[in-house]
mmCIF file with all atom_site columns, all heavy atoms in Angstrom:
data_model
loop_
_atom_site.group_PDB
_atom_site.id
_atom_site.type_symbol
_atom_site.label_atom_id
_atom_site.label_alt_id
_atom_site.label_comp_id
_atom_site.label_asym_id
_atom_site.label_entity_id
_atom_site.label_seq_id
_atom_site.pdbx_PDB_ins_code
_atom_site.Cartn_x
_atom_site.Cartn_y
_atom_site.Cartn_z
_atom_site.occupancy
_atom_site.B_iso_or_equiv
_atom_site.pdbx_formal_charge
_atom_site.auth_seq_id
_atom_site.auth_comp_id
_atom_site.auth_asym_id
_atom_site.auth_atom_id
_atom_site.pdbx_PDB_model_num
ATOM   1   N N   . LYS R 1 71  ? 11.219 20.813 -9.060  1.00 98.00 ? 71  LYS R N   1
ATOM   2   C CA  . LYS R 1 71  ? 10.581 21.979 -9.660  1.00 98.00 ? 71  LYS R CA  1
ATOM   3   C C   . LYS R 1 71  ? 9.152  21.637 -10.059 1.00 98.00 ? 71  LYS R C   1
ATOM   4   O O   . LYS R 1 71  ? 8.894  20.579 -10.645 1.00 98.00 ? 71  LYS R O   1
ATOM   5   C CB  . LYS R 1 71  ? 11.376 22.364 -10.932 1.00 98.00 ? 71  LYS R CB  1
ATOM   6   C CG  . LYS R 1 71  ? 10.945 23.649 -11.534 1.00 98.00 ? 71  LYS R CG  1
ATOM   7   C CD  . LYS R 1 71  ? 11.637 24.844 -10.900 1.00 98.00 ? 71  LYS R CD  1
ATOM   8   C CE  . LYS R 1 71  ? 10.974 26.148 -11.251 1.00 98.00 ? 71  LYS R CE  1
ATOM   9   N NZ  . LYS R 1 71  ? 9.711  26.402 -10.502 1.00 98.00 ? 71  LYS R NZ  1
ATOM   10  N N   . GLY R 1 72  ? 8.254  22.560 -9.768  1.00 98.00 ? 72  GLY R N   1
ATOM   11  C CA  . GLY R 1 72  ? 6.870  22.347 -10.212 1.00 98.00 ? 72  GLY R CA  1
ATOM   12  C C   . GLY R 1 72  ? 5.919  23.294 -9.501  1.00 98.00 ? 72  GLY R C   1
ATOM   13  O O   . GLY R 1 72  ? 6.267  23.911 -8.480  1.00 98.00 ? 72  GLY R O   1
ATOM   14  N N   . GLY R 1 73  ? 4.732  23.400 -10.031 1.00 98.00 ? 73  GLY R N   1
ATOM   15  C CA  . GLY R 1 73  ? 3.783  24.420 -9.582  1.00 98.00 ? 73  GLY R CA  1
ATOM   16  C C   . GLY R 1 73  ? 3.046  24.074 -8.303  1.00 98.00 ? 73  GLY R C   1
ATOM   17  O O   . GLY R 1 73  ? 3.198  22.992 -7.733  1.00 98.00 ? 73  GLY R O   1
ATOM   18  N N   . MET R 1 92  ? 6.117  16.168 -14.003 1.00 98.00 ? 92  MET R N   1
ATOM   19  C CA  . MET R 1 92  ? 7.140  17.224 -14.023 1.00 98.00 ? 92  MET R CA  1
ATOM   20  C C   . MET R 1 92  ? 8.532  16.635 -14.188 1.00 98.00 ? 92  MET R C   1
ATOM   21  O O   . MET R 1 92  ? 9.383  17.228 -14.864 1.00 98.00 ? 92  MET R O   1
ATOM   22  C CB  . MET R 1 92  ? 7.093  18.061 -12.723 1.00 98.00 ? 92  MET R CB  1
ATOM   23  C CG  . MET R 1 92  ? 5.975  19.057 -12.585 1.00 98.00 ? 92  MET R CG  1
ATOM   24  S SD  . MET R 1 92  ? 5.761  20.259 -13.928 1.00 98.00 ? 92  MET R SD  1
ATOM   25  C CE  . MET R 1 92  ? 7.315  21.099 -13.951 1.00 98.00 ? 92  MET R CE  1
ATOM   26  N N   . LYS R 1 95  ? 8.977  15.761 -17.785 1.00 98.00 ? 95  LYS R N   1
ATOM   27  C CA  . LYS R 1 95  ? 8.979  17.009 -18.565 1.00 98.00 ? 95  LYS R CA  1
ATOM   28  C C   . LYS R 1 95  ? 10.341 17.721 -18.465 1.00 98.00 ? 95  LYS R C   1
ATOM   29  O O   . LYS R 1 95  ? 10.922 18.118 -19.472 1.00 98.00 ? 95  LYS R O   1
ATOM   30  C CB  . LYS R 1 95  ? 7.873  17.938 -18.014 1.00 98.00 ? 95  LYS R CB  1
ATOM   31  C CG  . LYS R 1 95  ? 7.600  19.170 -18.834 1.00 98.00 ? 95  LYS R CG  1
ATOM   32  C CD  . LYS R 1 95  ? 6.626  20.126 -18.096 1.00 98.00 ? 95  LYS R CD  1
ATOM   33  C CE  . LYS R 1 95  ? 5.330  19.472 -17.684 1.00 98.00 ? 95  LYS R CE  1
ATOM   34  N NZ  . LYS R 1 95  ? 4.353  20.452 -17.142 1.00 98.00 ? 95  LYS R NZ  1
ATOM   35  N N   . LYS R 1 107 ? 5.331  18.892 -7.268  1.00 98.00 ? 107 LYS R N   1
ATOM   36  C CA  . LYS R 1 107 ? 4.069  19.620 -7.398  1.00 98.00 ? 107 LYS R CA  1
ATOM   37  C C   . LYS R 1 107 ? 3.526  19.817 -5.990  1.00 98.00 ? 107 LYS R C   1
ATOM   38  O O   . LYS R 1 107 ? 3.835  19.051 -5.082  1.00 98.00 ? 107 LYS R O   1
ATOM   39  C CB  . LYS R 1 107 ? 3.059  18.813 -8.220  1.00 98.00 ? 107 LYS R CB  1
ATOM   40  C CG  . LYS R 1 107 ? 1.999  19.634 -8.876  1.00 98.00 ? 107 LYS R CG  1
ATOM   41  C CD  . LYS R 1 107 ? 2.566  20.429 -10.026 1.00 98.00 ? 107 LYS R CD  1
ATOM   42  C CE  . LYS R 1 107 ? 1.589  20.755 -11.110 1.00 98.00 ? 107 LYS R CE  1
ATOM   43  N NZ  . LYS R 1 107 ? 2.278  20.971 -12.385 1.00 98.00 ? 107 LYS R NZ  1
ATOM   44  N N   . ALA R 1 145 ? 6.162  27.182 -8.237  1.00 98.00 ? 145 ALA R N   1
ATOM   45  C CA  . ALA R 1 145 ? 5.790  28.074 -9.345  1.00 98.00 ? 145 ALA R CA  1
ATOM   46  C C   . ALA R 1 145 ? 4.271  28.096 -9.423  1.00 98.00 ? 145 ALA R C   1
ATOM   47  O O   . ALA R 1 145 ? 3.592  27.352 -8.728  1.00 98.00 ? 145 ALA R O   1
ATOM   48  C CB  . ALA R 1 145 ? 6.386  27.539 -10.640 1.00 98.00 ? 145 ALA R CB  1
ATOM   49  N N   . PRO R 1 146 ? 3.712  28.950 -10.276 1.00 98.00 ? 146 PRO R N   1
ATOM   50  C CA  . PRO R 1 146 ? 2.245  28.919 -10.422 1.00 98.00 ? 146 PRO R CA  1
ATOM   51  C C   . PRO R 1 146 ? 1.748  27.688 -11.171 1.00 98.00 ? 146 PRO R C   1
ATOM   52  O O   . PRO R 1 146 ? 2.500  27.063 -11.930 1.00 98.00 ? 146 PRO R O   1
ATOM   53  C CB  . PRO R 1 146 ? 1.941  30.178 -11.283 1.00 98.00 ? 146 PRO R CB  1
ATOM   54  C CG  . PRO R 1 146 ? 3.197  30.953 -11.323 1.00 98.00 ? 146 PRO R CG  1
ATOM   55  C CD  . PRO R 1 146 ? 4.310  29.996 -11.100 1.00 98.00 ? 146 PRO R CD  1
ATOM   56  N N   . ASP R 1 147 ? 0.529  27.320 -10.904 1.00 97.00 ? 147 ASP R N   1
ATOM   57  C CA  . ASP R 1 147 ? -0.176 26.268 -11.638 1.00 97.00 ? 147 ASP R CA  1
ATOM   58  C C   . ASP R 1 147 ? -1.647 26.689 -11.622 1.00 97.00 ? 147 ASP R C   1
ATOM   59  O O   . ASP R 1 147 ? -1.965 27.861 -11.357 1.00 97.00 ? 147 ASP R O   1
ATOM   60  C CB  . ASP R 1 147 ? 0.046  24.912 -10.934 1.00 97.00 ? 147 ASP R CB  1
ATOM   61  C CG  . ASP R 1 147 ? -0.339 23.708 -11.796 1.00 97.00 ? 147 ASP R CG  1
ATOM   62  O OD1 . ASP R 1 147 ? 0.428  23.360 -12.725 1.00 97.00 ? 147 ASP R OD1 1
ATOM   63  O OD2 . ASP R 1 147 ? -1.407 23.128 -11.574 1.00 97.00 ? 147 ASP R OD2 1
ATOM   64  N N   . ARG R 1 187 ? 7.810  35.099 -18.498 1.00 98.00 ? 187 ARG R N   1
ATOM   65  C CA  . ARG R 1 187 ? 7.396  33.870 -17.785 1.00 98.00 ? 187 ARG R CA  1
ATOM   66  C C   . ARG R 1 187 ? 5.885  33.683 -17.861 1.00 98.00 ? 187 ARG R C   1
ATOM   67  O O   . ARG R 1 187 ? 5.394  32.591 -18.050 1.00 98.00 ? 187 ARG R O   1
ATOM   68  C CB  . ARG R 1 187 ? 7.859  33.905 -16.336 1.00 98.00 ? 187 ARG R CB  1
ATOM   69  C CG  . ARG R 1 187 ? 7.303  32.764 -15.444 1.00 98.00 ? 187 ARG R CG  1
ATOM   70  C CD  . ARG R 1 187 ? 7.730  31.400 -15.948 1.00 98.00 ? 187 ARG R CD  1
ATOM   71  N NE  . ARG R 1 187 ? 7.101  30.269 -15.266 1.00 98.00 ? 187 ARG R NE  1
ATOM   72  C CZ  . ARG R 1 187 ? 5.923  29.737 -15.578 1.00 98.00 ? 187 ARG R CZ  1
ATOM   73  N NH1 . ARG R 1 187 ? 5.212  30.211 -16.576 1.00 98.00 ? 187 ARG R NH1 1
ATOM   74  N NH2 . ARG R 1 187 ? 5.470  28.684 -14.915 1.00 98.00 ? 187 ARG R NH2 1
ATOM   75  N N   . ASN R 1 318 ? -1.806 19.312 -18.119 1.00 97.00 ? 318 ASN R N   1
ATOM   76  C CA  . ASN R 1 318 ? -1.066 18.100 -17.754 1.00 97.00 ? 318 ASN R CA  1
ATOM   77  C C   . ASN R 1 318 ? -2.050 16.929 -17.695 1.00 97.00 ? 318 ASN R C   1
ATOM   78  O O   . ASN R 1 318 ? -3.096 17.041 -17.045 1.00 97.00 ? 318 ASN R O   1
ATOM   79  C CB  . ASN R 1 318 ? -0.411 18.292 -16.376 1.00 97.00 ? 318 ASN R CB  1
ATOM   80  C CG  . ASN R 1 318 ? 0.688  19.330 -16.416 1.00 97.00 ? 318 ASN R CG  1
ATOM   81  O OD1 . ASN R 1 318 ? 1.593  19.233 -17.225 1.00 97.00 ? 318 ASN R OD1 1
ATOM   82  N ND2 . ASN R 1 318 ? 0.603  20.329 -15.548 1.00 97.00 ? 318 ASN R ND2 1
ATOM   83  N N   . GLY R 1 347 ? 6.451  26.666 -19.850 1.00 98.00 ? 347 GLY R N   1
ATOM   84  C CA  . GLY R 1 347 ? 6.363  27.298 -18.544 1.00 98.00 ? 347 GLY R CA  1
ATOM   85  C C   . GLY R 1 347 ? 7.560  26.978 -17.668 1.00 98.00 ? 347 GLY R C   1
ATOM   86  O O   . GLY R 1 347 ? 8.241  27.875 -17.146 1.00 98.00 ? 347 GLY R O   1
ATOM   87  N N   . VAL R 1 348 ? 7.851  25.692 -17.572 1.00 98.00 ? 348 VAL R N   1
ATOM   88  C CA  . VAL R 1 348 ? 8.965  25.343 -16.677 1.00 98.00 ? 348 VAL R CA  1
ATOM   89  C C   . VAL R 1 348 ? 10.318 25.707 -17.288 1.00 98.00 ? 348 VAL R C   1
ATOM   90  O O   . VAL R 1 348 ? 11.284 25.995 -16.588 1.00 98.00 ? 348 VAL R O   1
ATOM   91  C CB  . VAL R 1 348 ? 8.893  23.856 -16.232 1.00 98.00 ? 348 VAL R CB  1
ATOM   92  C CG1 . VAL R 1 348 ? 9.243  22.876 -17.337 1.00 98.00 ? 348 VAL R CG1 1
ATOM   93  C CG2 . VAL R 1 348 ? 9.789  23.620 -15.012 1.00 98.00 ? 348 VAL R CG2 1
ATOM   94  N N   . SER R 1 351 ? 10.670 29.174 -16.280 1.00 98.00 ? 351 SER R N   1
ATOM   95  C CA  . SER R 1 351 ? 10.914 29.133 -14.823 1.00 98.00 ? 351 SER R CA  1
ATOM   96  C C   . SER R 1 351 ? 12.394 28.856 -14.568 1.00 98.00 ? 351 SER R C   1
ATOM   97  O O   . SER R 1 351 ? 12.995 29.450 -13.660 1.00 98.00 ? 351 SER R O   1
ATOM   98  C CB  . SER R 1 351 ? 10.086 28.050 -14.167 1.00 98.00 ? 351 SER R CB  1
ATOM   99  O OG  . SER R 1 351 ? 8.802  28.517 -13.846 1.00 98.00 ? 351 SER R OG  1
HETATM 100 N N1  . LIG Z 2 .   ? 2.893  24.488 -13.325 1.00 60.17 ? 1   LIG Z N1  1
HETATM 101 C C1  . LIG Z 2 .   ? 3.635  24.476 -14.538 1.00 60.17 ? 1   LIG Z C1  1
HETATM 102 C C2  . LIG Z 2 .   ? 3.716  23.083 -15.124 1.00 60.17 ? 1   LIG Z C2  1
HETATM 103 O O1  . LIG Z 2 .   ? 2.879  22.244 -14.857 1.00 60.17 ? 1   LIG Z O1  1
HETATM 104 C C3  . LIG Z 2 .   ? 4.983  25.192 -14.403 1.00 60.17 ? 1   LIG Z C3  1
HETATM 105 C C4  . LIG Z 2 .   ? 5.907  24.614 -13.375 1.00 60.17 ? 1   LIG Z C4  1
HETATM 106 C C5  . LIG Z 2 .   ? 7.136  25.477 -13.132 1.00 60.17 ? 1   LIG Z C5  1
HETATM 107 O O2  . LIG Z 2 .   ? 7.287  26.489 -13.785 1.00 60.17 ? 1   LIG Z O2  1
HETATM 108 O O3  . LIG Z 2 .   ? 7.936  25.088 -12.265 1.00 60.17 ? 1   LIG Z O3  1
HETATM 109 O O4  . LIG Z 2 .   ? 4.561  22.795 -15.930 1.00 60.17 ? 1   LIG Z O4  1
#
Side-chain angles (χ1 to χ4, degrees):
K71 188 86 194 76
M92 284 306 302
K95 189 189 305 187
K107 204 72 153 205
D147 195 77
R187 171 61 187 87
N318 292 307
V348 72
S351 275

